[in-house]
Amino acid sequence: MLIGIVGKPNAGKSTFFKAATLADVEIANYAFTTIKANQAIGYVSTDCVEAEFNVRCRPRHGFCINAKRFIPVKLIDVAGLVPKAHEGRGLGNKFLDDLRQADVLILIVDTSGTTDEEGKPTTNYDVCNDVRFIIDELNAWMLQLLKKDWLMLKRKIKIEHISLVDALAEKFSGLKITHEQIKKAIAKAGLSETPDRSDEQLENFVCCLRSIAKPIIVFGNKIDIASKQNITKLEQFCQQQGLSVVFGSAEIELALREAAHHGLIKYVPGSSTFEIFAREKLNEKQRQALSKIKMFLQEHPTGVQEVINKAVFGLLKYKVVYPVENEKLTDKDGNVLPDALLMPEHATALDLAEAIHSDLAKNFVAAIDVRTGKRLSKDYVLKHNDVIRIVTS
Ligand SMILES: Nc1nc2c(ncn2[C@@H]2O[C@H](COP(=O)(O)OP(=O)(O)OP(=O)(O)O)[C@@H](O)[C@H]2O)c(=O)[nH]1
Ligand SMILES: [Mg+2]
């Protein structure tokens, strides 16, 4: 699972990325601070089934606090995007290639309206414009990729009699786009099988494909300094566009996670409270900062964990499945509920076996639903929170 962090320069992408991963990246109040993409591990969170089974889990990857299970996901923070990047403006759109493997994108918007589309200081900027132009740029990037090889693809379809779906799937295989997604996009765009298509038809197809294969969720950032008007405006605009939006502050989440990392507070990412461990260890500045943060949290959570969760579970509809080796819910080393795996919407018991180890899939006999003891076939479609034991030959 790879989550791409996109947006214009200075919107707070690296702040968001650092808050989610605690990776050491550069953050600064000017445009194009990030030039080379950063990748690190963040976490998606879910209610752990340990509470239901009345056990204490011991995760092999990620962690669990107060029955909230944090499952690792990869995040990538890319350079800022400006209008007409696909024509080479700003840093161009070559760096968009960094997003090829992304499953979902979080679009960071500076809701304060104090930076223009190039990330320079301004006032009263129309915050909806960021969503508009970034989506246009992403679509233009994909269209460019398609147009570059369109003549060659047409020839393949005509001479080698390759189907349109196969030809497009081959073209977009480097963008982690599946046959199924191409088929859906062709149907949604009403693209015909005839090889001659207008530019408009291709544009429409790419637009559909992008929304299916690289879905977007908006994060309205910097609400600590944003006006209510801007928040409402962006919320209504996203609603009109059929986009999910979460509001918050990456900077406040970063402060909380760093304070927790340094042992000053106990903070479970995503919660709207924190606990100060050692008040005497805090200096006056830290005390003031934490009391400001407390006031912010009374009004609003920081939104960082929420938007990651919504991207994975809401947009992508992934499920969490716990594979175990026996009815005691452990692996062979005695770790309780050792793994929580993120599985795609339609994944089956056999897909789960494959995700654990290809040998398990090869020797698959059945899966057992540990809750009920029921035997499940390889085609069983996994449900969220399933606890499964795989039986092999
Ligand atoms: N007030 C406020 N400022 C924020 C917030 N998030 C980020 N910032 C500030 O916004 C500025 C830009 O942050 P970055 O994270 O470097 O932005 P970026 O989008 O990565 O910028 P580029 O790498 O240049 O594209 C910095 O001064 C941050 O401190 C927030 O939630 N609230
Ligand atoms: Mg940056």
Side-chain angles (χ1 to χ4, degrees), residues 20 46 100 115 133 139 158 204 208 229 239 278 300 336 344-345:
T46 182
R100 278 185 312 231
T115 50
F133 92 75
N139 291 346
K158 261 189 185 161
N204 190 24
C208 295
Q229 262 166 319
Q239 212 168 30
H300 211 289
V336 178
E345 189 182 4

Side-chain angles (χ1 to χ4, degrees), residues 366-377 380 388-389:
I368 307 290
D369 177 338
V370 173
R371 267 194 197 83
T372 59
K374 213 173 131 190
R375 232 175 137 82
L376 310 165
S377 76
Y380 166 79
I388 302 271
R389 179 164 74 81

Side-chain angles (χ1 to χ4, degrees), residues 9-15 28 30 32-34 221-222 224 249-251:
N10 224 348
K13 299 180 297 302
S14 298
T15 310
Y30 51 80
F32 300 121
T33 307
T34 307
N221 192 27
K222 306 194 190 181
D224 52 311
S249 167
E251 194 166 70

Side-chain angles (χ1 to χ4, degrees), residues 244-270:
S244 291
V245 58
V246 172
F247 289 94
S249 167
E251 194 166 70
I252 290 178
E253 179 72 11
L254 177 59
L256 284 164
R257 294 219 193 176
E258 284 189 324
H261 182 67
H262 290 110
L264 299 175
I265 60 168
K266 179 175 180 184
Y267 169 65
V268 182

Side-chain angles (χ1 to χ4, degrees), residues 27 57 67 116 146 196 209 228 259-260 267 294 315 320 325 340-341 350 371 373:
I27 292 172
C57 72
D116 69 11
L146 178 60
D196 294 307
L209 184 62
K228 283 231 159 48
Y267 169 65
K294 198 155 227 163
L315 235 52
V320 178
E325 289 192 20
L341 300 186
L350 188 64
R371 267 194 197 83

Side-chain angles (χ1 to χ4, degrees), residues 156-198:
K156 265 194 169 173
I157 295 169
K158 261 189 185 161
I159 297 167
E160 296 175 31
H161 303 293
I162 292 177
S163 73
L164 177 67
V165 178
D166 285 345
L168 287 170
E170 194 186 317
K171 167 71 213 156
F172 284 113
S173 60
L175 263 70
K176 212 178 174 183
I177 294 177
T178 62
H179 257 81
E180 217 39 54
Q181 290 172 325
I182 302 261
K183 268 192 208 159
K184 267 194 200 161
I186 290 176
K188 197 170 163 194
L191 199 66
S192 62
E193 270 287 338
T194 54
D196 294 307
R197 291 165 196 88
S198 64

